[in-house]
Amino acid sequence: MGKILRVIDAAASSDKCWNAVCYYEDTPFNFVFKNIAPQPGDLIEISGDAKECLIIGENATLVARAELWPPADNDGLRWRLPISHDNPITRMEVLRRRHVIRSAARAYLDNQGFIEIDAPLIINGAPPEIALDTFFVEGHYLITSTEYQLKRLAIGGVNRLYSLTKNFRNGDESTCRNPEFTMLEWQRVGETMKEIENDTEAIAIHALEALKSPLDIVYQGVPLNMKAPWKKTPVFDEVERLTGYAMKDFELDDCYKAAVAAGINISDDWKENKEFLFSILMDTLQPQIGIGAPVFLTEWPLYQTTTSASVPGKPEIAQRSQLFMAGVEVADGFADLSDADQQLRLFNEANKLRVREGKEAVKLDGNYLKSMRLGCAYGAAMAMGFDRLVMILTNQKEIKTTLAFDWTEI
Protein backbone atom coordinates (compact mmCIF):
# COMPACT_ATOMS: atom_id res chain seq x y z
CA MET A 1 0.00 0.00 0.00
CA GLY A 2 1.39 3.37 -0.99
CA LYS A 3 1.20 6.82 0.53
CA ILE A 4 -1.70 9.12 -0.33
CA LEU A 5 -0.75 12.75 -1.03
CA ARG A 6 -3.01 15.78 -1.44
CA VAL A 7 -1.80 18.25 -4.05
CA ILE A 8 -2.15 21.82 -2.79
CA ASP A 9 -0.39 23.71 -5.56
CA ALA A 10 1.12 22.68 -8.90
CA ALA A 11 2.81 24.34 -11.91
CA ALA A 12 4.35 23.02 -15.10
CA SER A 13 8.13 23.27 -15.54
CA SER A 14 10.52 22.18 -18.30
CA ASP A 15 11.02 18.68 -19.71
CA LYS A 16 7.43 17.60 -19.06
CA CYS A 17 7.84 17.97 -15.33
CA TRP A 18 5.51 19.56 -12.84
CA ASN A 19 6.46 21.15 -9.54
CA ALA A 20 3.92 20.56 -6.77
CA VAL A 21 3.37 21.16 -3.09
CA CYS A 22 1.72 18.11 -1.53
CA TYR A 23 0.59 17.20 1.96
CA TYR A 24 1.21 13.76 3.40
CA GLU A 25 -1.13 13.80 6.40
CA ASP A 26 -0.29 17.24 7.85
CA THR A 27 3.28 17.58 6.53
CA PRO A 28 3.98 19.57 3.33
CA PHE A 29 6.54 18.35 0.79
CA ASN A 30 7.83 19.80 -2.49
CA PHE A 31 7.77 17.27 -5.33
CA VAL A 32 8.73 17.15 -9.00
CA PHE A 33 6.32 14.96 -10.96
CA LYS A 34 7.14 13.22 -14.23
CA ASN A 35 4.62 11.62 -16.57
CA ILE A 36 1.68 12.96 -14.56
CA ALA A 37 0.18 16.46 -14.58
CA PRO A 38 -1.06 17.14 -11.06
CA GLN A 39 -3.75 19.69 -10.31
CA PRO A 40 -4.56 21.35 -6.98
CA GLY A 41 -6.88 19.08 -5.04
CA ASP A 42 -5.68 15.81 -6.61
CA LEU A 43 -5.10 12.75 -4.47
CA ILE A 44 -2.02 10.93 -5.68
CA GLU A 45 -0.69 7.61 -4.46
CA ILE A 46 3.05 7.05 -4.42
CA SER A 47 5.14 4.06 -3.49
CA GLY A 48 8.01 4.55 -1.09
CA ASP A 49 8.62 7.04 1.70
CA ALA A 50 7.18 10.49 1.01
CA LYS A 51 10.18 12.06 2.72
CA GLU A 52 12.54 10.42 0.22
CA CYS A 53 10.54 10.66 -3.03
CA LEU A 54 11.42 14.20 -4.05
CA ILE A 55 11.27 13.29 -7.75
CA ILE A 56 8.32 11.08 -8.65
CA GLY A 57 8.39 9.16 -11.91
CA GLU A 58 6.50 5.99 -12.65
CA ASN A 59 5.66 5.37 -9.01
CA ALA A 60 2.82 7.93 -8.93
CA THR A 61 -0.86 7.19 -9.61
CA LEU A 62 -3.75 9.65 -9.73
CA VAL A 63 -6.30 8.35 -7.21
CA ALA A 64 -8.97 11.07 -7.28
CA ARG A 65 -9.52 14.53 -8.67
CA ALA A 66 -11.38 17.02 -6.51
CA GLU A 67 -14.54 18.50 -8.05
CA LEU A 68 -14.25 21.60 -5.88
CA TRP A 69 -10.91 23.14 -5.05
CA PRO A 70 -10.05 24.99 -2.95
CA PRO A 71 -12.85 23.88 -0.63
CA ALA A 72 -15.25 26.73 0.01
CA ASP A 73 -15.21 26.22 3.79
CA ASN A 74 -11.58 25.01 3.97
CA ASP A 75 -12.79 21.67 5.33
CA GLY A 76 -10.37 19.69 3.21
CA LEU A 77 -7.42 21.51 4.75
CA ARG A 78 -8.72 22.14 8.25
CA TRP A 79 -6.57 19.48 9.91
CA ARG A 80 -3.46 19.92 7.75
CA LEU A 81 -2.70 23.61 7.75
CA PRO A 82 -1.25 25.56 10.70
CA ILE A 83 -4.04 26.63 13.04
CA SER A 84 -3.03 30.30 12.79
CA HIS A 85 -0.03 32.57 12.32
CA ASP A 86 0.39 32.72 16.12
CA ASN A 87 -0.32 28.98 16.51
CA PRO A 88 1.75 27.20 13.82
CA ILE A 89 0.93 23.66 14.99
CA THR A 90 -1.57 21.79 12.83
CA ARG A 91 -4.90 20.48 14.06
CA MET A 92 -3.82 16.96 13.07
CA GLU A 93 -0.75 17.19 15.29
CA VAL A 94 -2.95 18.28 18.19
CA LEU A 95 -5.19 15.27 17.55
CA ARG A 96 -2.13 13.00 17.57
CA ARG A 97 -1.07 14.44 20.93
CA ARG A 98 -4.64 14.15 22.20
CA HIS A 99 -4.50 10.43 21.42
CA VAL A 100 -1.23 10.10 23.38
CA ILE A 101 -2.77 11.93 26.37
CA ARG A 102 -5.88 9.74 26.28
CA SER A 103 -3.79 6.56 26.12
CA ALA A 104 -1.63 7.75 29.04
CA ALA A 105 -4.68 8.53 31.19
CA ARG A 106 -6.18 5.12 30.52
CA ALA A 107 -2.86 3.37 31.16
CA TYR A 108 -2.45 5.06 34.55
CA LEU A 109 -5.97 4.19 35.71
CA ASP A 110 -5.74 0.64 34.36
CA ASN A 111 -2.47 0.11 36.22
CA GLN A 112 -4.14 1.34 39.41
CA GLY A 113 -6.72 -1.43 39.15
CA PHE A 114 -9.59 0.63 37.70
CA ILE A 115 -11.99 -0.74 35.12
CA GLU A 116 -13.47 1.41 32.38
CA ILE A 117 -17.23 1.38 31.90
CA ASP A 118 -19.31 2.45 28.92
CA ALA A 119 -21.87 4.83 30.38
CA PRO A 120 -25.19 5.45 28.62
CA LEU A 121 -25.38 8.74 26.74
CA ILE A 122 -29.19 8.91 26.94
CA ILE A 123 -30.63 8.86 30.45
CA ASN A 124 -34.00 9.12 32.19
CA GLY A 125 -33.05 11.60 34.93
CA ALA A 126 -30.80 14.65 34.90
CA PRO A 127 -28.81 16.65 37.49
CA PRO A 128 -30.94 19.54 38.77
CA GLU A 129 -28.05 21.98 39.30
CA ILE A 130 -28.89 25.53 38.30
CA ALA A 131 -25.66 25.88 36.30
CA LEU A 132 -26.37 22.85 34.07
CA ASP A 133 -28.75 22.91 31.12
CA THR A 134 -29.48 19.60 29.47
CA PHE A 135 -30.49 18.50 25.99
CA PHE A 136 -34.02 17.06 26.23
CA VAL A 137 -34.56 14.38 23.58
CA GLU A 138 -37.81 12.44 23.12
CA GLY A 139 -38.60 12.32 26.82
CA HIS A 140 -35.01 11.61 27.83
CA TYR A 141 -31.83 13.60 28.47
CA LEU A 142 -28.38 13.58 26.95
CA ILE A 143 -25.93 12.91 29.75
CA THR A 144 -24.13 15.85 31.39
CA SER A 145 -21.91 13.66 33.59
CA THR A 146 -21.51 9.94 34.30
CA GLU A 147 -21.38 10.60 38.06
CA TYR A 148 -24.64 8.84 38.95
CA GLN A 149 -23.84 5.80 36.81
CA LEU A 150 -20.38 5.43 38.37
CA LYS A 151 -21.88 5.71 41.86
CA ARG A 152 -24.55 3.11 41.13
CA LEU A 153 -21.81 0.69 40.08
CA ALA A 154 -19.77 1.62 43.15
CA ILE A 155 -22.77 0.89 45.36
CA GLY A 156 -23.04 -2.45 43.55
CA GLY A 157 -19.51 -3.39 44.57
CA VAL A 158 -17.10 -2.01 41.94
CA ASN A 159 -14.41 -0.29 44.00
CA ARG A 160 -12.41 1.49 41.28
CA LEU A 161 -13.95 2.50 37.98
CA TYR A 162 -13.84 5.23 35.39
CA SER A 163 -15.48 6.52 32.21
CA LEU A 164 -13.92 8.50 29.38
CA THR A 165 -16.80 9.52 27.19
CA LYS A 166 -18.86 12.28 25.61
CA ASN A 167 -21.03 14.54 27.75
CA PHE A 168 -23.51 17.19 26.60
CA ARG A 169 -24.47 20.54 28.12
CA ASN A 170 -26.89 22.80 26.30
CA GLY A 171 -25.70 26.35 25.64
CA ASP A 172 -22.14 25.71 26.87
CA GLU A 173 -20.20 27.59 24.21
CA SER A 174 -17.05 29.62 24.90
CA THR A 175 -13.29 29.52 24.53
CA CYS A 176 -13.15 26.66 27.07
CA ARG A 177 -16.57 25.12 26.44
CA ASN A 178 -18.21 23.05 23.72
CA PRO A 179 -21.78 21.71 24.10
CA GLU A 180 -20.45 18.23 23.24
CA PHE A 181 -17.26 17.50 25.16
CA THR A 182 -15.22 14.66 26.62
CA MET A 183 -15.09 14.04 30.35
CA LEU A 184 -12.84 11.69 32.30
CA GLU A 185 -14.52 10.65 35.57
CA TRP A 186 -13.27 8.15 38.10
CA GLN A 187 -14.44 6.81 41.44
CA ARG A 188 -12.60 5.28 44.40
CA VAL A 189 -14.68 3.47 47.02
CA GLY A 190 -13.39 3.53 50.59
CA GLU A 191 -10.81 6.20 49.79
CA THR A 192 -10.57 9.95 50.23
CA MET A 193 -10.11 13.15 48.24
CA LYS A 194 -6.36 12.90 48.88
CA GLU A 195 -6.10 9.77 46.70
CA ILE A 196 -8.30 11.35 44.03
CA GLU A 197 -6.14 14.47 43.97
CA ASN A 198 -3.03 12.27 43.67
CA ASP A 199 -4.64 10.55 40.68
CA THR A 200 -5.27 13.90 39.04
CA GLU A 201 -1.62 14.92 39.39
CA ALA A 202 -0.42 11.54 38.14
CA ILE A 203 -2.66 11.54 35.05
CA ALA A 204 -1.34 14.93 33.91
CA ILE A 205 2.28 14.02 34.64
CA HIS A 206 1.99 10.62 32.91
CA ALA A 207 0.53 12.41 29.89
CA LEU A 208 3.43 14.85 29.74
CA GLU A 209 5.90 12.00 30.03
CA ALA A 210 4.13 10.19 27.18
CA LEU A 211 4.40 13.37 25.11
CA LYS A 212 8.12 13.47 25.96
CA SER A 213 7.54 16.91 27.41
CA PRO A 214 9.29 18.47 30.41
CA LEU A 215 7.17 19.17 33.47
CA ASP A 216 7.97 22.87 33.22
CA ILE A 217 5.69 23.82 30.34
CA VAL A 218 4.46 27.10 28.89
CA TYR A 219 0.78 27.82 28.41
CA GLN A 220 -0.09 30.84 26.28
CA GLY A 221 3.25 32.48 26.98
CA VAL A 222 3.15 31.92 30.75
CA PRO A 223 5.32 29.29 32.53
CA LEU A 224 3.40 26.48 34.25
CA ASN A 225 5.28 24.15 36.60
CA MET A 226 3.50 20.80 36.59
CA LYS A 227 5.74 19.08 39.15
CA ALA A 228 3.90 17.36 42.01
CA PRO A 229 2.76 17.85 44.66
CA TRP A 230 0.32 20.56 43.65
CA LYS A 231 -0.78 23.18 46.15
CA LYS A 232 -4.10 22.81 48.00
CA THR A 233 -5.73 26.07 49.11
CA PRO A 234 -9.11 26.71 50.81
CA VAL A 235 -11.39 29.02 48.84
CA PHE A 236 -11.40 31.56 51.71
CA ASP A 237 -7.61 31.90 51.47
CA GLU A 238 -7.62 32.29 47.68
CA VAL A 239 -10.34 34.96 47.80
CA GLU A 240 -8.36 36.90 50.39
CA ARG A 241 -5.15 36.58 48.37
CA LEU A 242 -6.81 37.96 45.24
CA THR A 243 -9.14 40.58 46.72
CA GLY A 244 -7.69 41.47 50.13
CA TYR A 245 -11.01 40.64 51.78
CA ALA A 246 -11.05 37.87 54.42
CA MET A 247 -14.27 35.88 54.04
CA LYS A 248 -15.50 34.16 57.19
CA ASP A 249 -18.46 32.30 55.67
CA PHE A 250 -20.36 31.91 52.41
CA GLU A 251 -23.47 33.76 53.49
CA LEU A 252 -24.95 36.78 51.74
CA ASP A 253 -23.08 39.56 53.56
CA ASP A 254 -19.64 38.03 53.06
CA CYS A 255 -20.32 37.09 49.43
CA TYR A 256 -21.43 40.67 48.74
CA LYS A 257 -18.38 42.24 50.42
CA ALA A 258 -15.99 39.89 48.63
CA ALA A 259 -17.61 40.69 45.29
CA VAL A 260 -17.25 44.42 45.96
CA ALA A 261 -13.60 43.88 46.92
CA ALA A 262 -13.11 42.06 43.60
CA GLY A 263 -14.33 45.15 41.76
CA ILE A 264 -17.58 43.61 40.54
CA ASN A 265 -20.37 46.04 39.67
CA ILE A 266 -23.31 44.49 41.51
CA SER A 267 -26.81 45.15 40.21
CA ASP A 268 -29.82 45.36 42.53
CA ASP A 269 -31.04 42.01 41.19
CA TRP A 270 -27.97 40.27 42.62
CA LYS A 271 -27.77 41.79 46.09
CA GLU A 272 -30.02 39.22 47.75
CA ASN A 273 -28.72 36.13 45.92
CA LYS A 274 -25.72 34.63 47.69
CA GLU A 275 -25.45 31.72 45.23
CA PHE A 276 -25.19 34.06 42.26
CA LEU A 277 -22.86 36.48 44.05
CA PHE A 278 -20.48 33.68 44.95
CA SER A 279 -20.57 32.26 41.43
CA ILE A 280 -19.82 35.58 39.77
CA LEU A 281 -17.07 36.23 42.34
CA MET A 282 -15.30 32.99 41.44
CA ASP A 283 -15.86 33.52 37.70
CA THR A 284 -14.22 36.93 38.03
CA LEU A 285 -11.24 35.60 39.99
CA GLN A 286 -10.74 32.41 37.94
CA PRO A 287 -8.32 33.85 35.33
CA GLN A 288 -5.89 34.57 38.20
CA ILE A 289 -6.05 31.10 39.77
CA GLY A 290 -3.43 28.46 39.08
CA ILE A 291 -0.99 30.86 37.45
CA GLY A 292 2.55 29.45 37.49
CA ALA A 293 1.49 26.07 38.88
CA PRO A 294 -1.72 24.03 39.21
CA VAL A 295 -3.72 24.49 42.41
CA PHE A 296 -6.59 22.58 44.04
CA LEU A 297 -9.13 24.92 45.64
CA THR A 298 -10.83 23.19 48.57
CA GLU A 299 -13.62 23.83 51.10
CA TRP A 300 -16.39 25.23 48.89
CA PRO A 301 -19.88 26.23 50.02
CA LEU A 302 -22.13 23.20 50.32
CA TYR A 303 -24.96 25.09 48.62
CA GLN A 304 -23.03 24.96 45.35
CA THR A 305 -23.26 21.17 45.10
CA THR A 306 -25.93 18.50 45.38
CA THR A 307 -23.81 15.35 45.71
CA SER A 308 -20.93 16.23 48.02
CA ALA A 309 -20.43 15.23 51.63
CA SER A 310 -19.75 18.07 54.05
CA VAL A 311 -16.54 18.63 55.98
CA PRO A 312 -16.75 16.96 59.41
CA GLY A 313 -17.69 19.62 61.96
CA LYS A 314 -18.46 22.14 59.17
CA PRO A 315 -21.89 21.22 57.79
CA GLU A 316 -21.97 24.30 55.54
CA ILE A 317 -18.67 23.41 53.80
CA ALA A 318 -18.37 20.80 51.02
CA GLN A 319 -15.56 18.27 50.73
CA ARG A 320 -14.84 19.51 47.23
CA SER A 321 -11.55 19.95 45.39
CA GLN A 322 -11.49 21.93 42.16
CA LEU A 323 -8.35 22.02 40.02
CA PHE A 324 -7.21 25.14 38.17
CA MET A 325 -4.35 25.45 35.71
CA ALA A 326 -3.37 28.81 34.24
CA GLY A 327 -6.78 30.31 34.98
CA VAL A 328 -8.68 27.33 33.52
CA GLU A 329 -10.89 25.02 35.60
CA VAL A 330 -9.72 21.53 34.63
CA ALA A 331 -11.26 19.15 37.18
CA ASP A 332 -13.84 19.02 39.97
CA GLY A 333 -13.91 16.38 42.70
CA PHE A 334 -16.10 15.49 45.67
CA ALA A 335 -16.24 13.19 48.63
CA ASP A 336 -19.41 11.18 48.10
CA LEU A 337 -22.64 12.06 49.84
CA SER A 338 -24.06 8.77 51.14
CA ASP A 339 -27.34 9.84 52.81
CA ALA A 340 -30.24 9.06 50.46
CA ASP A 341 -32.72 11.31 52.29
CA GLN A 342 -30.34 14.25 52.21
CA GLN A 343 -29.63 13.59 48.54
CA LEU A 344 -33.32 13.72 47.67
CA ARG A 345 -33.77 16.90 49.70
CA LEU A 346 -30.85 18.59 47.93
CA PHE A 347 -32.17 17.53 44.53
CA ASN A 348 -35.62 18.91 45.31
CA GLU A 349 -34.17 22.20 46.59
CA ALA A 350 -32.08 22.52 43.42
CA ASN A 351 -35.14 21.93 41.24
CA LYS A 352 -37.06 24.61 43.16
CA LEU A 353 -34.17 27.01 42.58
CA ARG A 354 -34.30 26.23 38.87
CA VAL A 355 -37.97 27.15 38.79
CA ARG A 356 -37.36 30.38 40.74
CA GLU A 357 -34.68 31.31 38.19
CA GLY A 358 -37.06 30.75 35.28
CA LYS A 359 -35.77 27.32 34.25
CA GLU A 360 -37.67 24.08 34.02
CA ALA A 361 -37.39 21.50 36.75
CA VAL A 362 -35.76 18.27 35.53
CA LYS A 363 -36.80 14.70 36.15
CA LEU A 364 -34.62 13.18 38.85
CA ASP A 365 -32.65 9.96 38.45
CA GLY A 366 -34.89 7.62 40.44
CA ASN A 367 -32.65 4.60 39.95
CA TYR A 368 -29.69 6.46 41.46
CA LEU A 369 -31.76 7.55 44.47
CA LYS A 370 -33.08 4.01 44.89
CA SER A 371 -29.60 2.51 44.74
CA MET A 372 -28.38 4.85 47.50
CA ARG A 373 -30.79 3.15 49.92
CA LEU A 374 -28.87 -0.09 49.50
CA GLY A 375 -26.09 1.46 51.55
CA CYS A 376 -23.19 3.58 50.31
CA ALA A 377 -19.61 3.14 51.41
CA TYR A 378 -17.69 6.37 51.70
CA GLY A 379 -15.57 7.29 48.73
CA ALA A 380 -14.54 10.09 46.41
CA ALA A 381 -14.64 10.91 42.72
CA MET A 382 -13.19 13.37 40.23
CA ALA A 383 -14.49 14.73 36.93
CA MET A 384 -11.81 16.06 34.60
CA GLY A 385 -12.55 18.08 31.48
CA PHE A 386 -10.42 16.01 29.13
CA ASP A 387 -10.54 18.56 26.30
CA ARG A 388 -9.32 21.25 28.70
CA LEU A 389 -6.44 19.06 29.85
CA VAL A 390 -5.47 18.64 26.20
CA MET A 391 -5.73 22.43 25.76
CA ILE A 392 -3.23 23.02 28.54
CA LEU A 393 -0.78 20.24 27.63
CA THR A 394 -0.74 21.17 23.92
CA ASN A 395 -0.78 24.95 24.51
CA GLN A 396 -4.07 25.62 22.72
CA LYS A 397 -5.96 28.83 23.39
CA GLU A 398 -9.36 27.42 22.41
CA ILE A 399 -11.02 24.11 23.08
CA LYS A 400 -12.12 23.85 19.43
CA THR A 401 -8.57 23.25 18.21
CA THR A 402 -8.29 20.16 20.44
CA LEU A 403 -11.32 18.56 18.76
CA ALA A 404 -11.69 16.81 15.41
CA PHE A 405 -14.98 18.71 15.02
CA ASP A 406 -16.17 21.49 17.27
CA TRP A 407 -19.78 22.64 17.60
CA THR A 408 -19.56 24.98 14.59
CA GLU A 409 -18.04 22.33 12.30
CA ILE A 410 -20.71 19.64 12.44
Side-chain angles (χ1 to χ4, degrees):
M1 190 71 180
K3 305 291 192 301
I4 301 296
L5 309 177
R6 172 76 77 177
V7 179
I8 302 300
D9 192 20
S13 63
S14 59
D15 300 326
K16 296 183 179 181
C17 291
W18 287 261
N19 297 322
V21 177
C22 303
Y23 270 84
Y24 175 60
E25 296 185 341
D26 58 339
T27 304
F29 296 95
N30 294 311
F31 292 102
V32 176
F33 285 86
K34 289 184 177 181
N35 304 321
I36 187 171
Q39 296 180 12
D42 285 352
L43 289 176
I44 293 177
E45 182 178 9
I46 65 169
S47 59
D49 190 335
K51 295 179 181 180
E52 298 174 356
C53 297
L54 299 181
I55 298 178
I56 299 176
E58 300 295 335
N59 58 344
T61 305
L62 178 64
V63 176
R65 182 151 279 169
E67 295 182 12
L68 175 65
W69 197 265
D73 61 357
N74 207 34
D75 198 62
L77 297 175
R78 185 192 316 279
W79 301 276
R80 291 175 168 161
L81 297 179
I83 292 170
S84 69
H85 176 72
D86 297 328
N87 188 10
I89 192 175
T90 65
R91 191 96 161 253
M92 190 175 290
E93 179 59 29
V94 175
L95 293 178
R96 285 196 187 96
R97 296 181 189 183
R98 179 188 177 97
H99 176 74
V100 170
I101 295 168
R102 180 170 55 235
S103 297
R106 280 193 165 115
Y108 167 78
L109 291 169
D110 292 347
N111 288 335
Q112 287 284 307
F114 285 78
I115 64 169
E116 182 175 5
I117 63 110
D118 296 311
L121 301 184
I122 298 176
I123 52 177
N124 290 318
E129 279 89 348
I130 187 68
L132 294 182
D133 287 321
T134 59
F135 286 95
F136 190 65
V137 182
E138 298 292 333
H140 303 278
Y141 302 94
L142 291 183
I143 198 164
T144 61
S145 164
T146 62
E147 176 185 2
Y148 302 162
Q149 286 69 42
L150 292 180
K151 288 183 177 177
R152 284 175 63 188
L153 282 161
I155 291 167
V158 185
N159 288 333
R160 294 184 181 183
L161 67 161
Y162 72 95
S163 65
L164 179 55
T165 190
K166 293 291 187 181
N167 289 180
F168 305 86
R169 297 184 182 181
N170 199 357
D172 247 8
E173 295 181 64
S174 70
T175 299
C176 294
R177 299 175 185 271
N178 197 62
E180 178 184 324
F181 62 101
T182 301
M183 186 92 87
L184 172 62
E185 298 191 56
W186 66 99
Q187 171 87 33
R188 285 180 179 266
V189 175
E191 300 184 72
T192 67
M193 282 308 306
K194 180 179 179 181
E195 286 78 27
I196 290 290
E197 289 164 338
N198 291 344
D199 289 335
T200 310
E201 294 174 351
I203 287 168
I205 290 171
H206 275 67
L208 285 171
E209 291 172 347
L211 290 169
K212 297 180 171 54
S213 168
L215 298 184
D216 288 313
I217 64 175
V218 174
Y219 181 69
Q220 298 302 298
V222 179
L224 186 64
N225 183 352
M226 299 288 286
K227 294 176 183 176
W230 297 344
K231 186 177 180 181
K232 299 175 178 64
T233 302
V235 170
F236 286 151
D237 293 350
E238 190 71 356
V239 170
E240 183 175 5
R241 182 181 74 84
L242 295 173
T243 69
Y245 179 73
M247 294 184 75
K248 296 180 177 59
D249 57 44
F250 293 115
E251 297 306 313
L252 182 62
D253 183 60
D254 252 12
C255 288
Y256 177 82
K257 290 177 179 176
V260 170
I264 300 170
N265 186 17
I266 303 171
S267 70
D268 291 340
D269 294 339
W270 302 347
K271 290 181 178 178
E272 302 301 319
N273 188 332
K274 67 181 180 182
E275 292 89 350
F276 188 82
L277 283 173
F278 180 77
S279 292
I280 197 169
L281 168 67
M282 297 311 296
D283 287 346
T284 300
L285 298 181
Q286 180 174 316
Q288 305 173 67
I289 302 174
I291 303 301
V295 61
F296 292 104
L297 288 195
T298 62
E299 299 190 18
W300 293 73
L302 192 67
Y303 59 67
Q304 271 221 320
T305 85
T306 57
T307 57
S308 174
S310 60
V311 174
K314 298 180 180 179
E316 75 286 357
I317 303 295
Q319 289 189 59
R320 178 184 187 185
S321 183
Q322 199 165 0
L323 173 65
F324 294 85
M325 296 180 182
V328 177
E329 178 200 342
V330 177
D332 197 3
F334 301 91
D336 296 331
L337 176 64
S338 58
D339 186 319
D341 290 330
Q342 184 182 0
Q343 182 68 91
L344 178 59
R345 178 179 59 80
L346 291 173
F347 277 170
N348 287 333
E349 288 177 357
N351 252 338
K352 290 177 183 177
L353 179 59
R354 289 182 63 86
V355 173
R356 286 201 302 270
E357 296 295 327
K359 296 185 176 185
E360 290 188 5
V362 298
K363 180 182 177 182
L364 302 179
D365 189 331
N367 286 326
Y368 169 55
L369 290 165
K370 182 179 179 180
S371 71
M372 289 188 72
R373 297 191 181 280
L374 298 175
C376 301
Y378 75 88
M382 184 72 78
M384 175 184 284
F386 181 74
D387 307 316
R388 294 185 184 181
L389 179 67
V390 175
M391 270 181 63
I392 300 294
L393 300 190
T394 62
N395 194 23
Q396 296 301 299
K397 185 177 182 180
E398 297 182 282
I399 201 170
K400 68 175 292 182
T401 57
T402 73
L403 309 174
F405 300 91
D406 90 308
W407 195 245
T408 66
E409 297 169 338
I410 54 177

